[in-house]
Protein backbone atom coordinates (compact mmCIF):
# COMPACT_ATOMS: atom_id res chain seq x y z
CA UNK A 1 0.00 0.00 0.00
CA UNK A 2 1.67 3.30 -1.08
CA UNK A 3 0.33 5.22 1.94
CA UNK A 4 2.37 3.04 4.31
CA UNK A 5 5.60 3.23 2.34
CA UNK A 6 7.07 6.33 4.05
CA UNK A 7 9.75 4.46 5.97
CA UNK A 8 10.49 2.19 3.01
CA UNK A 9 11.10 5.21 0.75
CA UNK A 10 13.42 6.67 3.40
CA UNK A 11 15.35 3.37 3.48
CA UNK A 12 15.53 3.29 -0.32
CA UNK A 13 16.80 6.89 -0.41
CA UNK A 14 19.46 6.10 2.22
CA UNK A 15 20.62 3.01 0.33
CA UNK A 16 20.83 5.04 -2.88
CA UNK A 17 22.74 7.69 -0.94
CA UNK A 18 25.43 5.17 -0.02
CA UNK A 19 25.85 4.20 -3.67
CA UNK A 20 25.78 7.87 -4.68
CA UNK A 21 28.59 8.81 -2.31
CA UNK A 22 30.81 6.07 -3.68
CA UNK A 23 30.09 6.69 -7.36
CA UNK A 24 30.40 10.47 -7.20
CA UNK A 25 33.59 10.20 -5.20
CA UNK A 26 35.09 8.29 -8.11
CA UNK A 27 33.49 10.67 -10.61
CA UNK A 28 34.90 13.69 -8.76
CA UNK A 29 38.41 12.31 -9.26
CA UNK A 30 37.91 12.49 -13.02
CA UNK A 31 35.79 15.60 -13.64
CA UNK A 32 36.47 17.58 -10.48
CA UNK A 33 34.52 17.91 -7.25
CA UNK A 34 32.74 21.16 -8.15
CA UNK A 35 31.59 19.83 -11.52
CA UNK A 36 30.36 16.66 -9.83
CA UNK A 37 28.58 18.68 -7.15
CA UNK A 38 26.93 20.80 -9.82
CA UNK A 39 25.64 17.74 -11.69
CA UNK A 40 24.46 16.11 -8.45
CA UNK A 41 22.56 19.21 -7.36
CA UNK A 42 20.99 19.58 -10.80
CA UNK A 43 19.88 15.94 -10.83
CA UNK A 44 18.46 16.31 -7.32
CA UNK A 45 16.48 19.31 -8.50
CA UNK A 46 15.22 17.45 -11.55
CA UNK A 47 14.25 14.40 -9.48
CA UNK A 48 12.03 16.67 -7.39
CA UNK A 49 10.53 18.92 -10.08
CA UNK A 50 10.42 16.54 -13.06
CA UNK A 51 9.82 13.14 -11.49
CA UNK A 52 8.06 13.74 -8.19
CA UNK A 53 5.94 16.85 -8.77
CA UNK A 54 4.05 16.04 -11.99
CA UNK A 55 3.68 12.28 -11.53
CA UNK A 56 1.57 10.76 -8.79
CA UNK A 57 2.02 7.07 -9.55
CA UNK A 58 3.90 4.89 -7.10
CA UNK A 59 6.64 3.68 -9.46
CA UNK A 60 7.69 7.20 -10.37
CA UNK A 61 7.68 8.12 -6.68
CA UNK A 62 10.15 5.30 -5.99
CA UNK A 63 12.29 6.35 -8.99
CA UNK A 64 12.37 9.93 -7.71
CA UNK A 65 13.43 8.64 -4.30
CA UNK A 66 16.26 6.60 -5.78
CA UNK A 67 17.55 9.46 -7.95
CA UNK A 68 17.22 12.00 -5.14
CA UNK A 69 18.88 9.68 -2.62
CA UNK A 70 21.75 8.94 -4.99
CA UNK A 71 22.37 12.61 -5.76
CA UNK A 72 21.76 14.07 -2.30
CA UNK A 73 24.37 11.74 -0.83
CA UNK A 74 26.82 13.26 -3.26
CA UNK A 75 25.88 16.77 -2.18
CA UNK A 76 26.55 16.00 1.47
CA UNK A 77 29.90 14.33 0.85
CA UNK A 78 31.26 16.79 -1.73
CA UNK A 79 30.70 20.07 0.16
CA UNK A 80 33.87 19.70 2.32
CA UNK A 81 35.93 18.63 -0.70
CA UNK A 82 34.80 21.59 -2.80
CA UNK A 83 35.33 23.93 0.15
CA UNK A 84 38.88 22.67 0.68
CA UNK A 85 39.58 23.06 -3.03
CA UNK A 86 38.43 26.68 -3.01
CA UNK A 87 39.78 27.92 0.32
CA UNK A 88 42.64 25.52 1.02
CA UNK A 89 42.96 22.77 3.56
CA UNK A 90 44.37 25.07 6.27
CA UNK A 91 41.26 27.27 6.23
CA UNK A 92 38.83 24.35 5.97
CA UNK A 93 37.88 24.15 9.69
CA UNK A 94 37.01 27.86 9.86
CA UNK A 95 35.11 27.87 6.57
CA UNK A 96 33.22 24.69 7.51
CA UNK A 97 32.19 26.45 10.73
CA UNK A 98 30.67 29.24 8.66
CA UNK A 99 28.94 26.66 6.46
CA UNK A 100 27.43 25.04 9.56
CA UNK A 101 26.00 28.43 10.52
CA UNK A 102 24.50 28.52 7.03
CA UNK A 103 23.04 25.06 7.59
CA UNK A 104 21.35 26.44 10.71
CA UNK A 105 19.75 29.18 8.65
CA UNK A 106 18.66 26.56 6.15
CA UNK A 107 17.01 24.53 8.89
CA UNK A 108 15.14 27.61 10.08
CA UNK A 109 13.80 28.43 6.61
CA UNK A 110 12.83 24.87 5.80
CA UNK A 111 10.85 23.07 8.51
CA UNK A 112 8.72 25.90 9.98
CA UNK A 113 7.60 27.30 6.59
CA UNK A 114 7.06 23.75 5.33
CA UNK A 115 4.69 23.01 8.17
CA UNK A 116 2.82 26.23 7.51
CA UNK A 117 2.57 25.53 3.77
CA UNK A 118 1.30 22.02 4.46
CA UNK A 119 -1.44 23.43 6.67
CA UNK A 120 -2.41 26.38 4.46
CA UNK A 121 -1.92 25.09 0.91
CA UNK A 122 -1.94 21.33 1.30
CA UNK A 123 -4.66 21.20 3.96
CA UNK A 124 -2.57 18.63 5.81
CA UNK A 125 -2.45 16.13 2.95
CA UNK A 126 -1.26 17.82 -0.27
CA UNK A 127 2.49 18.06 -0.64
CA UNK A 128 2.75 19.87 -3.98
CA UNK A 129 3.62 23.22 -2.40
CA UNK A 130 6.41 21.57 -0.40
CA UNK A 131 7.74 19.78 -3.46
CA UNK A 132 7.88 23.09 -5.34
CA UNK A 133 9.52 24.79 -2.32
CA UNK A 134 12.22 22.12 -2.20
CA UNK A 135 12.71 22.15 -5.96
CA UNK A 136 13.11 25.94 -6.03
CA UNK A 137 15.79 25.81 -3.34
CA UNK A 138 17.63 23.12 -5.28
CA UNK A 139 17.35 25.22 -8.45
CA UNK A 140 18.81 28.22 -6.60
CA UNK A 141 21.61 25.99 -5.31
CA UNK A 142 22.31 24.77 -8.83
CA UNK A 143 22.44 28.36 -10.13
CA UNK A 144 24.77 29.35 -7.28
CA UNK A 145 27.11 26.46 -8.03
CA UNK A 146 27.04 27.36 -11.73
CA UNK A 147 27.98 30.96 -10.85
CA UNK A 148 30.77 29.66 -8.61
CA UNK A 149 32.00 27.47 -11.46
CA UNK A 150 32.09 30.52 -13.76
CA UNK A 151 33.96 32.64 -11.18
CA UNK A 152 36.54 29.93 -10.60
CA UNK A 153 37.00 29.39 -14.36
CA UNK A 154 37.78 33.07 -14.83
CA UNK A 155 40.49 32.92 -12.17
CA UNK A 156 42.33 30.14 -14.00
Amino acid sequence: KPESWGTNIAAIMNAASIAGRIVVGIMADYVGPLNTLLVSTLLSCLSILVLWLPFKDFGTFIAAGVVFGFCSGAIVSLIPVVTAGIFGIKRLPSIMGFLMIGYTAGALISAPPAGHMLDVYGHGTGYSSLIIYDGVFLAVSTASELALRAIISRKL
Side-chain angles (χ1 to χ4, degrees):
K1 213 174 179 188
E3 293 84 19
S4 63
W5 260 67
T7 53
N8 292 341
I9 293 295
I12 290 168
M13 285 175 44
N14 285 323
S17 176
I18 293 168
R21 291 170 196 235
I22 294 167
V23 170
V24 299
I26 295 166
M27 187 175 147
D29 289 339
Y30 291 100
V31 298
L34 181 56
N35 293 333
T36 306
L37 180 63
L38 179 61
V39 169
S40 297
T41 308
L42 176 64
L43 290 175
S44 290
C45 178
L46 293 176
S47 73
I48 298 294
L49 294 176
V50 175
L51 285 177
W52 190 11
L53 181 62
F55 298 100
K56 303 299 180 205
D57 62 286
F58 190 60
T60 308
F61 181 59
I62 291 176
V66 169
V67 173
F68 181 79
F70 186 90
C71 296
S72 66
I75 293 169
V76 170
S77 62
L78 286 175
I79 294 289
V81 178
V82 170
T83 304
I86 293 170
F87 295 102
I89 198 76
K90 288 188 177 193
R91 295 179 64 194
L92 183 61
S94 299
I95 301 298
M96 286 303 295
F98 281 117
L99 286 176
M100 292 301 127
I101 292 170
Y103 287 170
T104 302
L108 290 174
I109 63 170
S110 62
H116 180 71
M117 282 189 289
L118 184 60
D119 289 341
V120 173
Y121 301 112
H123 307 291
T125 59
Y127 292 93
S128 293
S129 62
L130 301 177
I131 296 168
I132 294 167
Y133 187 70
D134 185 36
V136 167
F137 273 104
L138 282 166
V140 169
S141 296
T142 301
S144 299
E145 291 166 11
L146 195 57
L148 180 61
R149 173 79 259 154
I151 291 167
I152 289 174
S153 295
R154 288 186 187 147
K155 287 184 179 180
L156 297 177

